[in-house]
Amino acid sequence: MCSSLRRASRAFTQLYDRAFRPLGLRATQFTVLQVLSRVGEVSQGRLGQMLAMDSTTLTRTLELMARRGWIADRRGQDRRQRWLYLTEAGKRQLRRAEPPWEKVQMRLRRQFGEQRWRSLMQLSHEAADRITARGDWI
């Protein structure tokens, strides 16, 4: 199961990465932009939970995005806590990335068919939610 899902994940990621390449954007960065656009300000820890990303990978991604001016942060009352938010440049980048994202989404919907697309979306959300809600099962 793990191997099959990782293979599918890599294939999907490569497809989206190719679409975003002209914008200097990666699929993981697009996902962060989308989430911050929807939730507004969020702690780095909570963002990692929402994305099911390990801290090291998330920190690397956020540092690159901050250097590009797409996100910014502020320290919480506890100085170890970072609150992240989308900058105006990040909002512009997200708007630029939405047309290629939509194109890939529509292509995949056509290839899978509407019912299979919805089923795949539902199953992937359910699987992620069940696993992240329970934490480490072993």
Side-chain angles (χ1 to χ4, degrees), residues 111-122:
Q111 287 180 345
F112 281 99
E114 194 60 36
Q115 182 57 44
R116 288 176 69 203
W117 172 261
R118 278 197 293 259
S119 295
L120 183 58
M121 289 292 291
Q122 181 181 357

Side-chain angles (χ1 to χ4, degrees), residues 23-135:
L23 301 172
L25 185 67
R26 304 290 306 253
T28 52
Q29 296 165 341
F30 178 77
T31 302
V32 171
L33 293 174
Q34 275 188 319
V35 169
L36 290 177
S37 175
R38 290 185 180 135
V39 301
E41 191 175 64
V42 65
S43 71
Q44 182 172 339
R46 178 68 184 128
L47 181 62
Q49 290 171 346
M50 293 168 73
L51 299 173
M53 282 180 81
D54 67 90
S55 180
T56 302
T57 302
L58 180 59
T59 297
R60 246 189 337 260
T61 300
L62 294 174
E63 286 173 356
L64 178 61
M65 294 176 75
R67 281 196 307 268
R68 293 183 175 171
W70 299 338
I71 63 167
D73 66 21
R74 70 170 180 81
R75 295 290 176 196
Q77 289 180 345
D78 178 343
R79 305 239 352 121
R80 295 171 295 176
Q81 192 172 45
R82 291 177 63 195
W83 289 87
L84 305 162
Y85 58 93
L86 210 50
T87 64
E88 287 304 315
K91 292 174 187 175
R92 284 191 303 273
Q93 182 70 343
L94 179 59
R95 283 192 301 273
R96 282 191 295 268
E98 285 172 342
W101 175 76
E102 286 284 345
K103 187 176 180 181
V104 172
Q105 294 281 101
M106 294 306 296
R107 177 181 164 197
L108 289 169
R109 280 180 113 108
R110 279 192 309 273
Q111 287 180 345
F112 281 99
E114 194 60 36
Q115 182 57 44
R116 288 176 69 203
W117 172 261
R118 278 197 293 259
S119 295
L120 183 58
M121 289 292 291
Q122 181 181 357
L123 185 58
S124 64
H125 284 295
E126 182 181 334
D129 290 346
R130 284 181 184 223
I131 292 167
T132 58
R134 288 191 173 93

